[in-house]
Amino acid sequence: MSLLLYLQRLFSLDTLDTRFTKSSCASSTASGSANSTRIDPARPLPGLDVHDGTSKNRTAESRERESTRPSKWSTPEFYFYYLVFLVAIPLMFKSVYDVSIPSHPNYSNYEHLLSPGWIPGRKVDNSDQQYSGFRDNIPYMFLLLIFHPLLRRAYNSFCPPDPRGGQHSQKVTQSTLDPGADARLDRRVRFDVGFACLYLLALHGTSAFKVFAILYVNFTLAKGLPKSYVPLATWVFNIGILFANEFCRGYPYVEFARISSPWIGSLNAAIDVEADRNWGTFLDSYGGLLPRWEVLFKLTILRLISFNLDYCWSLDQAGGSPLEKKQLDPTELSERNRVDIPAKSKDYSFRNYFAYILYSPLYLAGPILTFNDYISQLRYQPRSITRERTTLYGIRFLISLLTMEVMLHFLYAVAISKSQPTWEVYTPFQLSMLGYFNLHIIWLKLLLPWRFFRLWALLDGIDPPENMVRCMSDNYSALAFWRGWHRSYNRWIVRYIYIPLGGSGGPGTRGKGGKARAVFNMLVVFTFVALWHDIKLQLLIWGWLVTLFVLPEVLAGYAFPRRKWQDYQEAYRVICGIGAVGNILMMMAAHLIGFAIGLDGLRDLVHGIVGSYSGPQTIDEKKDDGGQAHG
């Protein structure tokens, strides 16, 4: 029984992120409470409409009906589902495994994409370049995961906190805690700045100075321009940097050398000296572990925008401390308070800004913290961080990593899709499962880096949001899926783009106008998301398709409002189930286009699935047509 309780604790939402077991408005002390409220992590928080940030309370009658609905776990319907699950899931895995063995006719076409594996008798599909960069460096990152917290502890032992910060009284006030909290913030920032400089020089070599230059210009915009110009200037500058980084390929020093010294290039050409013998090439040769710094700079851009807008909005605050006005305990702030309440004016300094932008555990992949939240956590470590919870989270990461390793050793879905195969050699079921597992590998390849770096931050005393909540197989709503996919990015978009655009139109524009406004704003959001990921038509199509595929759910919600089906719960559940199938298929299509096989690949895949149902005769006809064409 103790093992079952341990597994229940291991896979609980509280272990994943305490934000899922308590309201963001609630005090952090409730995070460890046995009576904490369970919250669906892929849905908005109770009482909050994330589209416009307004309060949205449901009626007591609606809540009562939901709470009294009988469980269906022991009904004949669910027993049938259990049987389907026991039969279908093994067949799904077997279908992809059967096409991932050396005896399959298509194996030779993608064998060159496989690498030696550690499971006896199996190679590993390490063909995804994005994930292989993470997988190949896991041993070194684990060393860094251990070294960084130990180095901070050693640093802290030589720089003890201000003794006045240890005072404790029955009534905790901001004034009694500020000295010690400020000392803790100062000590952590000094360490973060020093480590970040060394970290960036190791990662990017001499290109680190390009990062420093961009940081300085962005900070100057926030501090040097009038308040009314800061938001526009911030967006123009950072979107401009996003495009410039892509088109200028990271601004190699050799180009600067040619521009600044054109006569040297002419002289080299005259005497037939190779152009790479200049100071620019010398600096470019020290590119660090990750020479292409511009590829990973996209997350840094989000933090640049966060600092500038948080600072700009802090100028709207009237005199006095918001904590004292709201009578809040600074050691027990909820996440929403940490995000919404501005930091002190002195906290918007260049040193704090530098430490936040380049905070080492979250620099490469996130999750994303706002500047206000970061500063608050530096002052007062969240109560949600405990040794037990962090240990369990680390175990969950290792289980996820092992799951990914097993899939890559036995299911070669990625390599098959990259080899541009002849889809006719696969059955419709095999083709469907290749697309299905390809999508799940995409989900895992993003989950693992995000959870690793979040684990690093937790060990360092910072609690960022959990990025990946529900897989598409466990989510019948496209809207809810996007709230749980890259969740910290989603929350960043809501705070800095969606709500400033007007969200869903606000309480005064509900109905058709509000829905239209929401869809338009979502189109703007997903266009930005697509361009932020990569400036490619393939991803832009993905962003537009996501908006298009969300539209049916929005329209269905308007055509079938839940309140009108309270007396027809079973019928409404069937309608939702039908919509769920369509939602999952559309999410699969959008992600396969954006992150896997592209538009042409999806077309060929669908053609193979649909065409295969016509049987061998159709394939023969295609061959005959091909022969006649050649003849």
Side-chain angles (χ1 to χ4, degrees):
M1 187 62 181
S2 59
L3 177 61
L4 292 178
L5 291 176
Y6 179 79
L7 292 176
Q8 183 180 10
R9 173 67 171 156
L10 177 63
F11 291 102
S12 68
L13 285 175
D14 185 70
T15 296
L16 190 62
D17 194 339
T18 58
R19 296 169 177 85
F20 302 150
T21 53
K22 65 182 181 66
S23 169
S24 64
C25 299
S27 172
S28 60
T29 55
S31 61
S33 171
N35 298 322
S36 58
T37 304
R38 179 187 176 93
I39 297 173
D40 188 338
R43 294 195 168 279
L45 293 170
L48 177 69
D49 182 0
V50 297
H51 299 311
D52 53 24
T54 60
S55 178
K56 184 179 181 181
N57 297 317
R58 294 180 301 174
T59 63
E61 180 182 359
S62 174
R63 292 195 299 267
E64 182 179 357
R65 289 185 180 182
E66 290 185 4
S67 62
T68 58
R69 189 179 304 168
S71 171
K72 295 183 179 295
W73 291 107
S74 299
T75 60
E77 177 189 358
F78 271 56
Y79 282 125
F80 173 73
Y81 296 156
Y82 303 150
L83 178 62
V84 172
F85 180 86
L86 292 175
V87 175
I89 299 301
L91 287 178
M92 292 166 65
F93 279 90
K94 183 178 182 300
S95 66
V96 181
Y97 174 76
D98 288 342
V99 300
S100 303
I101 55 179
S103 59
H104 191 270
N106 198 44
Y107 183 82
S108 59
N109 293 337
Y110 63 84
E111 185 180 10
H112 65 283
L113 297 174
L114 305 179
S115 306
W118 56 268
I119 295 180
R122 296 297 298 180
K123 292 185 177 182
V124 62
D125 183 359
N126 199 30
S127 59
D128 187 286
Q129 294 184 355
Q130 185 180 23
Y131 181 71
S132 65
F134 172 79
R135 183 180 183 273
D136 296 343
N137 290 288
I138 285 178
Y140 309 106
M141 290 190 294
F142 266 109
L143 291 177
L144 189 60
L145 181 76
I146 298 172
F147 173 74
H148 177 261
L150 291 179
L151 184 62
R152 185 185 291 278
R153 288 190 178 186
Y155 177 83
N156 291 345
S157 65
F158 290 101
C159 302
D162 191 328
R164 291 174 296 176
Q167 294 178 355
H168 182 76
S169 60
Q170 186 68 23
K171 182 178 181 181
V172 182
T173 64
Q174 184 183 10
S175 59
T176 58
L177 284 178
D178 266 350
D182 287 344
R184 182 177 185 271
L185 182 147
D186 179 73
R187 182 179 60 177
R188 285 190 61 97
V189 166
R190 279 190 277 115
F191 177 86
D192 287 342
V193 168
F195 192 89
C197 291
L198 298 177
Y199 189 56
L200 248 69
L201 288 172
L203 286 178
H204 306 317
T206 54
S207 291
F209 297 105
K210 304 171 189 175
V211 177
F212 298 155
I214 294 174
L215 264 62
Y216 176 76
V217 174
N218 184 76
F219 182 82
T220 303
L221 292 176
K223 290 288 189 172
L225 293 176
K227 172 182 170 297
S228 58
Y229 296 146
V230 170
L232 178 60
T234 296
W235 282 108
V236 170
F237 173 74
N238 282 280
I239 292 178
I241 288 294
L242 189 66
F243 279 84
N245 286 352
E246 177 75 16
F247 295 130
C248 298
R249 296 174 290 108
Y251 324 107
Y253 286 110
V254 66
E255 298 297 332
F256 288 107
R258 290 170 180 169
I259 294 173
S260 60
S261 305
W263 62 272
I264 293 180
S266 302
L267 179 62
N268 288 341
I271 62 177
D272 198 25
V273 174
E274 294 183 2
D276 60 354
R277 296 181 183 179
N278 56 46
W279 63 269
T281 306
F282 173 77
L283 292 178
D284 286 333
S285 64
Y286 294 90
L289 300 174
L290 298 173
R292 295 196 61 194
W293 64 274
E294 72 277 8
V295 175
L296 299 171
F297 194 74
K298 297 166 186 175
L299 274 169
T300 305
I301 285 178
L302 302 183
R303 290 188 285 266
L304 294 175
I305 295 172
S306 175
F307 173 85
N308 282 19
L309 295 185
D310 280 0
Y311 169 70
C312 180
W313 294 339
S314 73
L315 301 178
D316 294 330
Q317 295 291 325
S321 170
L323 295 175
E324 294 178 355
K325 289 180 179 179
K326 298 182 179 181
Q327 297 182 342
L328 296 174
D329 183 350
T331 66
E332 304 289 353
L333 292 180
S334 67
E335 184 200 23
R336 189 181 301 173
N337 286 331
R338 293 199 307 262
V339 171
D340 291 342
I341 295 178
K344 300 177 182 179
S345 58
K346 67 177 182 180
D347 291 335
Y348 296 95
S349 64
F350 184 79
R351 190 181 66 163
N352 291 351
Y353 162 80
F354 189 92
Y356 162 69
I357 300 296
L358 304 179
Y359 178 57
S360 300
L362 306 181
Y363 171 72
L364 288 176
I368 304 162
L369 272 180
T370 68
F371 178 79
N372 290 342
D373 195 359
Y374 172 76
I375 292 296
S376 178
Q377 293 197 42
L378 290 190
R379 277 201 169 89
Y380 310 103
Q381 179 172 305
R383 300 291 182 90
S384 58
I385 300 178
T386 64
R387 179 175 297 180
E388 179 190 9
R389 186 177 287 116
T390 303
T391 301
L392 291 173
Y393 187 83
I395 294 174
R396 285 190 65 161
F397 166 77
L398 293 176
I399 292 174
S400 299
L401 180 62
L402 180 60
T403 301
M404 182 64 154
E405 284 295 300
V406 172
M407 289 184 66
L408 293 181
H409 277 80
F410 289 95
L411 308 177
Y412 300 151
V414 178
I416 291 173
S417 66
K418 286 181 175 293
S419 64
Q420 298 180 344
T422 303
W423 297 110
E424 286 83 356
V425 302
Y426 302 104
T427 67
F429 185 63
Q430 289 172 340
L431 287 172
S432 302
M433 291 303 101
L434 282 171
Y436 182 77
F437 281 104
N438 205 322
L439 188 58
H440 284 70
I441 290 173
I442 292 174
W443 189 82
L444 275 171
K445 81 170 185 179
L446 296 174
L447 175 140
L448 287 169
W450 284 333
R451 285 199 177 171
F452 174 85
F453 290 114
R454 181 170 185 257
L455 175 62
W456 182 4
L458 290 172
L459 291 172
D460 193 45
I462 296 294
D463 186 7
E466 173 64 25
N467 256 347
M468 297 295 262
V469 183
R470 281 185 171 182
C471 188
M472 65 290 301
S473 297
D474 187 30
N475 209 323
Y476 68 87
S477 167
L479 288 170
F481 172 78
W482 284 114
R483 295 186 187 111
W485 175 285
H486 203 168
R487 189 167 180 267
S488 66
Y489 185 38
N490 175 275
R491 292 154 71 93
W492 184 94
I493 287 172
V494 169
R495 174 172 172 80
Y496 297 108
I497 301 180
Y498 194 63
I499 291 178
L501 283 175
S504 57
T509 55
R510 295 296 183 184
K512 295 182 179 179
K515 295 292 184 181
R517 177 68 176 270
V519 171
F520 172 77
N521 289 343
M522 288 178 64
L523 180 62
V524 174
V525 164
F526 278 107
T527 299
F528 171 80
V529 170
L531 293 176
W532 177 81
H533 276 90
D534 209 344
I535 304 173
K536 292 181 179 178
L537 180 61
Q538 176 175 321
L539 282 171
L540 196 57
I541 294 174
W542 164 80
W544 293 338
L545 280 177
V546 167
T547 306
L548 178 64
F549 292 162
V550 167
L551 185 59
E553 182 176 344
V554 175
L555 297 177
Y558 184 75
F560 302 96
R562 187 184 186 93
R563 65 182 181 274
K564 293 185 179 181
W565 291 79
Q566 293 295 337
D567 297 329
Y568 307 96
Q569 292 288 341
E570 293 302 315
Y572 187 77
R573 189 164 61 89
V574 172
I575 293 174
C576 289
I578 295 173
V581 174
N583 274 334
I584 291 176
L585 291 176
M586 288 187 290
M587 284 190 288
M588 288 175 61
H591 281 73
L592 288 174
I593 290 173
F595 299 101
I597 59 180
L599 188 60
D600 292 337
L602 180 66
R603 181 190 59 199
D604 295 338
L605 179 63
V606 173
H607 186 272
I609 295 174
V610 177
S612 296
Y613 281 109
S614 300
Q617 182 179 0
T618 302
I619 299 176
D620 292 338
E621 289 175 355
K622 290 180 181 178
K623 292 179 180 178
D624 292 340
D625 292 341
Q628 293 174 4
H630 287 296

